[in-house]
Structures are given as structure tokens and as C-alpha cells.
Amino acid sequence: MHPHNFDDYLDDFSDDADERPMRSAARKGRRRAEDTPEPTRRGRLTESERARLTEQREDQLDQAGAPPSGDRWSSWDGAEHGPLPHPSWLVTELSAVDTELGVLKTGKEADVHLVERLLPGTGRRCLLAAKRYRAPDHRLFHRDAGYLEGRRVRRSREMRAMNGRTAFGRNLLAEQWAVAEFSALGTLWSHGAPVPYPVQRAGTEVMLEFLGEPDGTAAPRLAQLRPEPDQLTDLWSQLVGVLHQLARQGLAHGDLSAYNLLVHRDRLIMIDLPQVVDVVANPNGPEFLERDVRNIASWFLGRGIPPDLADPGELTASLLSEAF
Ligand SMILES: Nc1ncnc2c1ncn2[C@@H]1O[C@H](COP(=O)(O)OP(=O)(O)OP(=O)(O)O)[C@@H](O)[C@H]1O
Ligand SMILES: [Mg+2]
């Protein structure tokens, strides 16, 4: 299910004259605009630059209804952004375009898509994982119960809608998962935990740093690996480190398994955090934490890690004492 070859992709954006008149016209337009330099502050757009780009976008939209390349204009501008400083690889320019490259994974609650964000004519691009939560039609989220205790929804209309499972309520629920995951990732990323950088959130969509290779091959889940003893021990100690980072923020993952940990170039990275649990505020917090540790420790023990290295009881106790 790998997306098509990336070199083909980049060829599409080369500066050679090509047979797509719409794009060439747009490119000329851009060149003309570049001929009149504007004072720009380093790393930020001046107001006039921003206005010019907006105008340029609107002109192009008027002509074609869509960007000159890609599927849509970069959705960066209208979204909630991830924590500062934005990583240098992130394309934040307003004239960038987003292109869907394929589906990374479809799940019960969300689909994860691979998206390329590219600044046409520059070769500047980044890959993003777009996680889109779905509003379930005839079913509840399995994660809705229990996890939401200790979290409050202030407006009672919203609370009633969610309890009543109206279409509005279901959408709101899906959006709440997106909000919760985006916020947990922001907190953890800011504290240096190994999680994908949360790029942006808009509605039910969270866009994340893509973990994988430039050709679009995603990093494997821990569950897919059969690590040698040395690597297994190393991954376990990375895991203990991540869990302590969470515990220091008073958090537990809440759905920890070898499917929600990716291994990218020997680095263990935690994903899938919408149901993150506040260990202190949630009355079931300590149980969730204990279950997380039990689940993941049994995967490691099943792969042959020495039991004295991976003692779930001991780890749970030290995480709890860290959290409280
Ligand atoms: N940032 C990322 N980079 C690369 N791949 C990712 C990223 N985020 C998610 N994936 C891929 O998408 C899969 C599903 O992501 P995630 O676990 O967050 O969603 P989910 O809806 O909970 O899926 P599931 O129900 O299968 O756990 C992951 O197992 C991983 O293979
Ligand atoms: Mg998952």
C-alpha cells in the first residue's frame, strides 16, 4: 500500500517546461510577483507579504478553483498550530500545497493518510501523517467510557448532544478526540518526549510529523518487529524512559500496546494518544497505568526479555510514585 514513487513526484515539480499550461501560467505569475521584493522579517511574513499571497491564491483560485498543483492549498493557515519553535523541516509557507499520497492505515475510529506539503518551484517539502477521526454512525467509541471521567465539557448543550449521540454530538465527540490527542502530543513534545511533532489540528483532523522514510514508507510498529536480545533490551529501556516522561506530567497512555509504538531508526516513538489519562484526576487513572504497563511488559516478556529486567509491578510502582 505504499504510495507511488517519490522521484516521479519530484519530477512533476521540476522547473523544466512541461505540458501543463495551468501550472506554467501560475509559475509565471509567481515569478512576476517575486520580481518586486517586499521587506520580509526573518522567518515571518510581513502583513503586505501575507496580503499579497492571499491575493495570489485568490487569483489562482478564480482561474482554476484549486491550486496549480496538488490537491488543496496548505491547510496550515486555518488550523491550530503545534508548539513553538516550529521544527525547521516544517513547511509553513501559505503558498504551499498539500497532496494526498495514500492511506497509511484505516482504523475503527480514525484513518491515517500520508500527505505531502510542498512549496512549488522550490523543492521544499515535508511529509505529514493526517489522522482523521470519524464520527461513528451506529456505534459508540469504545474509548468513550471511563476515559472521559475527570474531564469536563463546560457547555451543557454540548454535553447533552454527546450523551444523546445526535449527529452533532457524534461529530463533536470525534473532534474532542482530535483536540485531546493534539493537546497531549503538544505537552509531551514540549517536554522532550519521543512523540511525533503535532503539526496542526483543524476540526476532526490532526496532522503529525510523518515517521518514516522520504519515499513514504512508514516506520514499523513495534508489534511487527522480532528484535534481537540486545535491541529488545534497548527498546525496553527506551520505553521505561518514555513512561517516566509521561508520569512526570501526571499522564498514562491509556491504550498502550506494541501497535501504538513505532520504531524509527532504532528510536522508540509513542503514538495514538487521544485517550491519554490524567493519572491523578481520573479516579481510574492508576488502573489504566497499571494495565498499560502489564500489556506492554507482557509483549516484551513474550519476546524473551529477562523477567528481572522487565518487572511490571516494580515499574508501575515507580511510575505511580512519580505521578503523585
Ligand atoms: N506520525 C506517524 N507516522 C507514521 N505512521 C503513523 C503515524 N501515526 C500513525 N501512523 C500509522 O497509522 C497507524 C494508526 O495510527 P494510530 O494508532 O494513531 O490510529 P488508530 O486509529 O488508533 O489506529 P488503531 O486503531 O489501529 O490503533 C499506526 O499504527 C501507524 O502505522
Ligand atoms: Mg493505534
Side-chain angles (χ1 to χ4, degrees):
M1 169 248 40
H2 292 309
H4 51 261
N5 189 312
F6 243 95
D7 291 332
D8 295 344
Y9 233 59
L10 293 176
D11 283 343
D12 276 346
F13 295 104
S14 73
D15 258 331
D16 299 332
D18 65 44
E19 59 295 342
R20 301 189 201 186
M22 200 176 74
R23 263 226 321 262
S24 318
R27 215 179 273 147
K28 278 193 206 107
R30 193 165 291 125
R31 251 183 231 132
R32 254 200 319 277
E34 279 164 3
D35 287 340
T36 45
E38 299 262 353
T40 46
R41 265 175 274 135
R42 266 193 85 165
R44 275 235 236 111
L45 291 174
T46 60
E47 282 309 311
S48 62
E49 174 78 350
R50 183 180 276 263
R52 183 181 67 75
L53 280 169
T54 308
E55 208 170 276
Q56 188 180 313
R57 281 173 153 204
E58 278 164 5
D59 283 354
Q60 288 175 4
L61 265 180
D62 287 348
Q63 287 161 19
S69 58
D71 296 332
R72 60 178 185 181
W73 292 108
S74 164
S75 50
W76 170 255
D77 202 25
E80 180 186 352
H81 296 162
L84 293 166
H86 300 311
S88 58
W89 54 262
L90 184 62
V91 176
T92 57
E93 285 86 346
L94 298 181
S95 54
V97 292
D98 287 354
T99 305
E100 300 276 333
L101 299 188
V103 176
L104 287 170
K105 172 101 171 43
T106 53
K108 288 190 299 265
E109 297 157 358
D111 297 323
V112 183
H113 297 249
L114 179 63
V115 172
E116 177 193 53
R117 180 163 289 173
L118 180 134
L119 196 56
T122 65
R124 217 172 115 61
R125 67 171 193 121
C126 64
L127 289 177
L128 304 171
K131 183 168 179 179
R132 297 171 188 150
Y133 283 89
R134 273 190 272 114
D137 271 339
H138 301 293
R139 226 180 46 71
L140 310 183
F141 279 120
H142 77 268
R143 293 194 264 217
D144 289 351
Y147 291 107
L148 292 176
E149 285 184 48
R151 283 190 204 163
R152 264 172 301 150
V153 178
R154 277 194 202 89
R155 277 177 284 173
S156 61
R157 176 169 111 86
E158 295 179 356
M159 198 69 221
R160 275 201 306 279
M162 285 192 280
N163 288 336
R165 315 281 171 191
T166 60
F168 171 71
R170 285 194 301 270
N171 243 325
L172 213 56
L173 216 41
E175 185 162 334
Q176 276 226 339
W177 289 119
V179 168
E181 175 154 43
F182 190 70
S183 138
L185 285 169
T187 303
L188 292 171
W189 189 86
S190 300
H191 285 89
V195 294
Y197 177 72
V199 171
Q200 64 179 65
R201 195 229 19 121
T204 54
E205 181 191 68
V206 179
M207 287 180 113
L208 308 168
E209 167 185 7
F210 170 71
L211 299 165
E213 302 308 319
D215 71 356
T217 310
R221 302 174 196 110
L222 178 61
Q224 292 165 256
L225 301 181
R226 299 285 174 274
E228 295 297 317
D230 280 358
Q231 200 198 359
L232 192 67
T233 311
D234 178 60
L235 290 168
W236 173 260
S237 69
Q238 291 190 51
L239 175 74
V240 171
V242 188
L243 292 179
H244 274 285
Q245 282 175 303
L246 262 78
R248 250 174 264 138
Q249 308 307 313
L251 300 174
H253 183 285
D255 190 23
L256 189 60
S257 73
Y259 293 92
N260 287 332
L261 293 165
L262 302 184
V263 180
H264 184 43
R265 301 177 180 165
D266 293 327
R267 222 173 137 238
L268 189 78
I269 297 168
M270 183 179 270
I271 61 163
D272 198 8
L273 286 135
Q275 71 293 305
V276 76
V277 172
D278 184 328
V279 180
V280 182
N282 188 317
N284 306 315
E287 271 167 58
F288 280 119
L289 185 145
E290 192 265 329
R291 191 188 64 180
D292 274 356
V293 172
R294 194 165 11 96
N295 284 345
I296 196 65
S298 75
W299 187 87
F300 276 89
L301 291 165
R303 291 283 171 279
I305 199 164
D308 57 319
L309 276 185
D311 178 340
E314 214 172 84
L315 179 55
T316 300
S318 86
L319 293 171
L320 282 175
S321 76
E322 188 116 47
F324 279 92

